[in-house]
Amino acid sequence: MGPSQKPNVCRRLSRRALGFFSRDAGVVQRTNLGILRALVCQESTKFKNVWTTHSKSPIAYERGRIYFDNYRCCVSSVASEPRKLYEMPKCSKSEKIEDALLWECPVGEMLPNPSDYKSSLIALTAHNWLLRISATTGKVLEKIYLASYCKFRYLSWDTPQEVIAIKSAQNKGSTLARQAGIQQPVLLYLAVFHVLPFSLIGILEINKKIFGNVTDATLSHGILIVMYSSGLVRLYSFQAITEQFMQQKLDLGCACRWGGTTGTVGEAPFGIPCNIKITDAPPLLFEVSSLENAFQIGGHPWHYIITPNKKKQKGVFHICALKDNSLNENLPTVTASGRVVKKSFNLLDDDPEQETFKIVDYEDELDLLSVVAVTQIDAEGKAHLDFHCNEYGTLLKSIPLVESWDVTYSHEVYFDRDLVLHIEQKPSRVFSCYVYQMVCDHGDEEETTNRSCKKDCDNFKF
């Protein structure tokens, strides 16, 4: 069975204008995305590099916003030239934002303040403050002091848009202690919060006396994932751990007495005590061995993806049923949402001597598989972003990237509806950002516009 007939954009727009889809908002949204997919993939549509900028600090992208200077400056990527949304006041090195997540308003929930219905940036500072910042103005809306007994460094979603996990840096101990052979029993801490409004679930310590010679740990979808240098991955229920080992329930903003000290939970200098300390081995849900601890779980029914724990198997992935660990070589990749991703690997095979695939991603709204392929020409590499039909694997569109691609640099490429964004990290912490937008090909007129925009960008410094 081959691809269906190419949809007619004009017919879809006419039917939408006549109200054919007005009874179902979901149908309207899917129709709009179908129209956008057709526009993206048609031959006359081009993606042009509309502006480029450089920075000495990391550059991050999230939902149409580009963040510079450790999230202090926010720029809209939607316009054909950089438009600054806000710039927060300069701060000391200890106050800089080290990591951040974008929170967007949930549907169907009553929130305490009108400002809660607008997008926020949840940010972690270098001096252990958790902030909620307006995504449109940069104003700090909430702040929580975490603790002084460890250095928190990483933010992630445990449950997307609902629960966050904040991981500390690993506790290496002092130089003198290491020289004396004294090992620190606590590897790291995990602080877990419900968001909007912020409410504390607890802070958990990962102790080697309980878990053994553990090398890392994280939290995802209510599962505590513990990793070992041998490649072993173990899974535990965070809820079961909380119910069994929480020493005391703590509430933000309330008075607390802990270890002979009294203070307010979440305020400096008291912060938040570590109130979940595991004293016995918790019940093990599941364990598996995988190369470099590579492990993903999801789908319906539950499956997991691993790489066999041998160096020669790097790049090989096994999809196994969670209930009995059986390997199913014919099973398509299934995402956590239950979406089936049918990839025709024989059509997407690369040739290392001609070009190699560097980044492969799935654009769920447009149902496209995006692939960054790099061709090495002498010392310089050139890249192009290809869009493949997710159902059949056929190539629908190829977008050349104008900038050279050095395979030794770190790269991130985002495809977000009508936008392509390439972030590159060069040596000596030099970061570059290249923004491409979907445009109609008007030849000389477009080139004139692009030169004018580049001139504007040259005056836009970060």
Side-chain angles (χ1 to χ4, degrees):
M1 181 179 178
S4 58
Q5 185 178 1
K6 185 177 180 181
N8 187 294
V9 171
C10 292
R11 184 169 178 269
R12 287 190 178 189
L13 289 172
S14 298
R15 288 172 61 83
R16 187 180 68 177
L18 292 172
F20 275 73
F21 316 112
S22 59
R23 295 181 181 179
D24 188 336
V27 172
V28 174
Q29 174 70 352
R30 287 193 294 273
T31 300
N32 290 342
L33 291 173
I35 293 171
L36 179 58
R37 173 184 161 130
L39 291 172
V40 165
C41 295
Q42 71 182 7
E43 186 177 354
S44 60
T45 299
K46 308 295 182 184
F47 279 78
K48 296 296 182 180
N49 178 214
V50 292
W51 60 277
T52 299
T53 192
H54 309 280
S55 173
K56 293 184 178 180
S57 61
I59 302 173
Y61 173 78
E62 191 74 50
R63 295 295 185 97
R65 298 178 176 92
I66 306 174
Y67 296 95
F68 298 89
D69 196 11
N70 301 109
Y71 295 92
R72 194 176 65 85
C73 179
C74 178
V75 174
S76 172
S77 65
V78 176
S80 59
E81 59 185 63
R83 180 171 61 88
K84 188 181 293 185
L85 296 178
Y86 65 80
E87 186 170 3
M88 300 172 69
K90 291 186 177 182
C91 60
S92 64
K93 188 176 180 180
S94 66
E95 297 174 306
K96 72 174 183 178
I97 295 174
E98 293 206 328
D99 203 359
L101 297 170
L102 183 66
W103 180 88
E104 296 178 295
C105 174
V107 177
E109 293 187 25
M110 295 296 293
L111 300 176
N113 301 306
S115 64
D116 296 343
Y117 289 91
K118 297 181 179 180
S119 298
S120 301
L121 197 68
I122 299 174
L124 175 66
T125 70
H127 60 337
N128 275 6
W129 282 89
L130 182 66
L131 309 178
R132 182 167 74 90
I133 301 168
S134 168
T136 54
T137 66
K139 179 182 178 181
V140 176
L141 304 175
E142 288 184 77
K143 56 189 305 185
I144 298 168
Y145 181 64
L146 295 174
S148 58
Y149 52 81
C150 69
K151 165 72 170 127
F152 284 101
R153 183 164 289 172
Y154 311 102
L155 271 175
S156 64
W157 290 110
D158 171 32
T159 303
Q161 301 296 311
E162 293 181 15
V163 179
I164 59 169
I166 313 171
K167 185 163 72 171
S168 75
Q170 294 193 5
N171 186 5
K172 302 296 185 181
S174 66
T175 303
L176 290 176
R178 292 198 302 271
Q179 289 175 346
I182 302 173
Q183 291 189 352
Q184 296 293 327
V186 177
L187 177 70
L188 55 84
Y189 295 86
L190 291 167
V192 189
F193 292 83
H194 285 291
V195 294
L196 267 293
F198 275 129
S199 62
L200 174 69
I201 296 175
I203 295 185
L204 165 71
E205 69 172 22
I206 303 299
N207 198 311
K208 293 181 180 180
K209 291 182 179 179
I210 302 299
F211 293 103
N213 194 25
V214 57
T215 56
D216 200 5
T218 189
L219 199 64
S220 178
H221 293 83
I223 301 296
L224 175 65
I225 304 172
V226 178
M227 290 158 273
Y228 298 82
S229 58
S230 63
L232 185 66
V233 179
R234 286 177 171 165
L235 275 61
Y236 303 87
S237 167
F238 179 66
Q239 181 179 349
I241 290 173
T242 301
E243 292 172 352
Q244 184 177 355
F245 298 107
M246 181 179 287
Q247 296 180 336
Q248 181 180 333
K249 179 76 170 68
L250 301 175
D251 295 311
L252 296 172
C254 294
C256 172
R257 183 172 180 81
W258 192 277
T261 304
T262 302
T264 302
V265 178
E267 294 184 4
F270 187 76
I272 304 172
C274 177
N275 64 332
I276 305 175
K277 295 188 177 183
I278 301 175
T279 54
D280 297 303
L284 178 67
L285 294 179
F286 178 77
E287 71 175 12
V288 69
S289 183
S290 181
L291 184 66
E292 298 175 352
N293 301 119
F295 175 82
Q296 294 187 42
I297 187 170
H300 180 76
W302 288 97
H303 281 74
Y304 63 89
I305 303 175
I306 61 167
T307 295
N309 198 8
K310 296 179 181 178
K311 288 185 178 180
K312 65 179 181 180
Q313 293 288 310
K314 189 170 184 177
V316 175
F317 299 92
H318 286 181
I319 304 175
C320 305
L322 186 63
K323 65 177 181 179
D324 58 8
N325 299 320
S326 60
L327 174 66
N328 191 331
E329 297 179 354
N330 298 318
L331 188 71
T333 301
V334 183
T335 66
S337 63
R339 182 189 302 274
V340 177
V341 184
K342 300 176 182 176
K343 302 176 184 179
S344 302
F345 289 102
N346 59 317
L347 297 177
L348 299 180
D349 195 16
D350 63 353
D351 184 347
E353 293 185 359
Q354 296 181 18
E355 65 176 19
T356 55
F357 295 157
K358 294 300 179 184
I359 301 173
V360 179
D361 199 7
Y362 175 63
E363 215 300 323
D364 58 346
E365 291 185 320
L366 302 184
D367 195 27
L368 292 173
L369 199 66
S370 64
V371 179
V372 176
V374 179
T375 303
Q376 197 72 25
I377 304 173
D378 296 328
E380 185 178 86
K382 298 299 291 184
H384 53 92
L385 176 64
D386 295 339
F387 297 152
H388 292 262
C389 171
N390 183 56
E391 187 172 4
Y392 300 104
T394 51
L395 177 64
L396 302 176
K397 189 82 172 179
S398 185
I399 302 169
L401 302 183
V402 297
E403 65 275 10
S404 61
W405 185 292
D406 191 320
V407 294
T408 64
Y409 298 169
S410 175
H411 299 268
E412 295 174 72
V413 175
Y414 300 91
F415 169 44
D416 193 354
R417 295 191 176 184
D418 63 340
L419 174 92
V420 171
L421 188 137
H422 173 206
I423 297 175
E424 175 186 57
Q425 180 180 352
K426 300 175 182 177
S428 304
R429 291 183 62 82
V430 175
F431 299 83
S432 298
C433 178
Y434 309 89
V435 178
Y436 293 76
Q437 285 189 334
M438 185 177 76
V439 295
C440 293
D441 192 3
H442 293 311
D444 294 340
E445 179 183 345
E446 183 182 314
E447 290 299 320
T448 303
T449 303
N450 195 34
R451 285 196 298 269
S452 175
C453 180
K454 186 179 186 303
K455 182 179 179 182
D456 292 338
C457 292
D458 289 341
N459 296 323
F460 195 88
K461 302 299 183 182
F462 300 99

